[in-house]
């Protein structure tokens, strides 16, 4: 992910964890540890996305979101320990784009960021993605093994693009569902399993090998030639 991210968080451990993880995933990071510093940062610099805590010294996250929305449509994802539905609804009404509860899973944060950036048009797909002899053309969702086309459904295409974008990352069923279906994953069902199984079969038929690996108890990632 090639994006400029502002992390607004007063807990230094959480800032460090997010900074290290997102940097490893290609993001450029700026930080602020309190509301006043965050207000100055957001008024002086342009970002692709903001990760925002609510309980900040000086100026609250709610005020910062309202302030930001007076001059910018930069996407904001709230990352907070406050779990009350009223709080979530309030910040969404103020202009936040998503809400993640602490403690959080880092891979979930990354997927939520990808979804918001794609939805807001900030993140544009590259011309091609490659994984060994598998090539993807994200703009029109075409796939080839060597030069032979592979026919996939829309959902299968979205799943494969996500896996190819970060081939080392393990995506849980919840990660895949929320990213591809753009809905909250709230119950255990067979939807993701069926689509991944069909996708795996089509890829094996085209390539002669398994290109998607099941990491038991966690989820799915690419495997084979890289």
């Amino acid at each position: 992910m090639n994006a400029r991210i502002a992390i607004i968080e007063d807990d230094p451990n959480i800032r460090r964890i997010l900074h290290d993880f997102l940097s490893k995933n290609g993001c450029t990071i700026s930080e602020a540890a309190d509301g006043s510093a965050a207000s100055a940062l957001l008024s002086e610099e342009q970002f692709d996305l903001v990760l925002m805590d609510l309980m900040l010294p000086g100026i609250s996250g709610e005020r910062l979101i309202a302030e930001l929305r007076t001059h910018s449509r930069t996407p904001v994802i709230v990352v907070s320990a406050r779990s009350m539905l009223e709080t979530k609804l309030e910040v969404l009404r103020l202009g936040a784009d998503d809400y993640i509860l602490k403690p959080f899973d880092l891979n979930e944060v990354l997927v939520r960021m990808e979804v918001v950036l794609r939805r807001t048009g900030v993140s544009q797909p590259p011309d091609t993605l490659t994984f060994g002899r598998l090539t993807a053309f994200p703009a029109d969702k075409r796939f080839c093994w060597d030069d032979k086309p592979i026919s996939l459904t829309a959902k299968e295409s979205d799943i494969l693009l996500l896996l190819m974008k970060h081939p080392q990352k393990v995506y849980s069923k919840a990660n895949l569902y929320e990213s591809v279906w753009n809905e909250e994953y709230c119950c255990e069902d067979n939807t993701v399993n069926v689509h991944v199984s069909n996708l795996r079969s089509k890829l094996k038929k085209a390539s002669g090998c398994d290109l998607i690996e099941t990491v038991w108890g966690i989820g799915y990632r690419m495997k084979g030639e890289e």
Side-chain angles (χ1 to χ4, degrees), residues 12-83:
N13 291 324
I14 294 177
R15 279 204 318 277
R16 176 183 53 79
I17 290 169
L18 286 170
H19 183 287
D20 292 349
F21 178 75
L22 294 177
S23 295
K24 289 177 182 177
N25 280 275
C27 297
T28 302
I29 308 297
S30 295
E31 302 178 13
D34 60 66
S36 298
S39 179
L41 180 67
L42 296 176
S43 64
E44 294 169 1
E45 298 186 35
Q46 296 293 318
F47 296 96
D48 295 317
L49 186 142
V50 178
L51 293 177
M52 175 98 64
D53 190 14
L54 294 179
M55 295 181 286
L56 297 167
I59 303 175
S60 70
E62 290 93 335
R63 283 183 56 193
L64 286 170
I65 294 170
E67 180 181 291
L68 180 64
R69 285 294 171 258
T70 64
H71 63 84
S72 173
R73 294 305 304 168
T74 300
V76 175
I77 297 179
V78 170
V79 183
S80 175
R82 292 164 61 180
S83 61

Side-chain angles (χ1 to χ4, degrees), residues 114-128:
E114 290 170 348
V115 170
V116 168
L117 288 170
R118 186 167 63 247
R119 187 171 66 229
T120 56
V122 174
S123 180
Q124 298 298 327
D127 292 337
T128 61

Side-chain angles (χ1 to χ4, degrees), residues 5 7 10 12 34 49 62 73 90-91 108 110 134 142 144 147 151-152 157 163:
I5 308 298
I7 300 174
D10 64 325
D34 60 66
L49 186 142
E62 290 93 335
R73 294 305 304 168
E90 178 187 357
V91 297
E108 179 184 1
L110 186 63
L134 178 66
R142 289 189 298 111
C144 295
D147 294 323
S151 179
L152 302 177
S157 297
L163 294 175

